[in-house]
Amino acid sequence: MKDQKTNVMRLLEQKKIKYTAHEYPHGDEAVDGVTVAEICGQDPSQVFKTLVARGASKSIYVFDVPVTGELDLKKAAKAAGEKSIAMIHVSEINALTGYIRGGCSPIGMKKQYKTFIDISAQDKTTVMVSAGKIGYQVVLNPNDLASLVRAKFADLVSEND
C-alpha cells in the first residue's frame, strides 16, 4: 500500500520537486494535525494545515498555518488586501478545491487561488502538508511549496498561540 500515489505526489514529481511521502492509519474522519505530526514523527510546528477562506470581495484565498496555531482573520485579511476574511463553510470545500475536509492540500486545487503561507515556514528546512487525501502527507521544502503554488509568506497566526 506504500506505493499509492495521490495527485499531489504526481504533481510534485512532474515538477521535479523533492518530497517525502507519509501515510498514516485513519478512519473516514479527519485526524487533528498534532496527532498526524506525532504519528508521522514530525515536529508539530513543521506540520501545516490548509484553510480556505473568502474575502469581502468574494475572492477565495488559501492559508497554510502550523497545526499548532490558529489563523488570525485580521492578519489574513491584511495579507490578502481584503477588508475582511471569513472561513468558507465546510460544505463548500469540495466544490471549490476538489478536496474534502481533512485532506485539503494547497497543491493541485481545482483552481489556483491566491495562497499565503505563515512566515514561520521560512525558518524551516521542511514543512509537511496534506497530500490531498486523508491519511497521506508530503514533506517538502517550504520555498519549493511557495514557488509551486505561487504563495506569499505572511504573518498569519494569532499571537496567543
Side-chain angles (χ1 to χ4, degrees):
M1 181 135 158
K2 223 15 181 180
D3 58 358
Q4 185 169 352
K5 283 206 168 96
T6 67
N7 287 337
V8 168
M9 294 172 200
R10 288 186 199 94
L11 194 62
L12 289 169
E13 287 171 10
Q14 183 187 352
K15 300 290 184 188
K16 299 190 178 359
I17 294 173
K18 288 194 330 201
Y19 73 92
T20 306
H22 285 269
E23 190 178 335
Y24 61 91
H26 61 90
D28 290 338
E29 289 300 307
V31 181
D32 76 276
V34 175
T35 303
V36 170
E38 288 167 5
I39 293 169
C40 295
Q42 299 288 313
D43 176 344
S45 74
Q46 286 180 262
V47 180
F48 281 61
K49 57 188 170 188
T50 301
L51 305 170
V52 183
R54 180 177 282 115
S57 70
K58 303 287 183 236
S59 292
I60 300 295
Y61 299 95
V62 176
F63 298 96
D64 278 285
V65 298
V67 296
T68 54
E70 286 298 317
L71 178 65
D72 183 313
L73 295 175
K74 282 192 171 82
K75 289 180 179 180
K78 184 179 177 195
E82 288 277 358
K83 212 159 73 170
S84 64
I85 289 272
M87 298 302 296
I88 64 163
H89 195 274
V90 173
S91 63
E92 294 181 275
I93 289 175
N94 185 261
L96 290 170
T97 67
Y99 294 124
I100 60 166
R101 181 179 179 274
C104 193
S105 177
I107 303 165
M109 288 191 178
K110 282 182 173 179
K111 283 173 75 178
Q112 178 75 52
Y113 297 112
K114 271 195 178 170
T115 302
F116 299 89
I117 302 170
D118 187 66
I119 52 171
S120 64
Q122 286 184 300
D123 302 336
K124 316 229 179 297
T125 51
T126 60
V127 293
M128 185 160 95
V129 296
S130 172
K133 281 174 93 172
I134 293 174
Y136 297 88
Q137 300 282 119
V138 289
V139 175
L140 71 163
N141 179 289
N143 293 313
D144 288 345
L145 174 62
S147 175
L148 178 64
V149 300
R150 298 197 286 267
K152 291 187 171 99
F153 289 100
D155 180 14
L156 298 172
V157 177
S158 299
E159 292 303 321
N160 41 355
D161 287 327

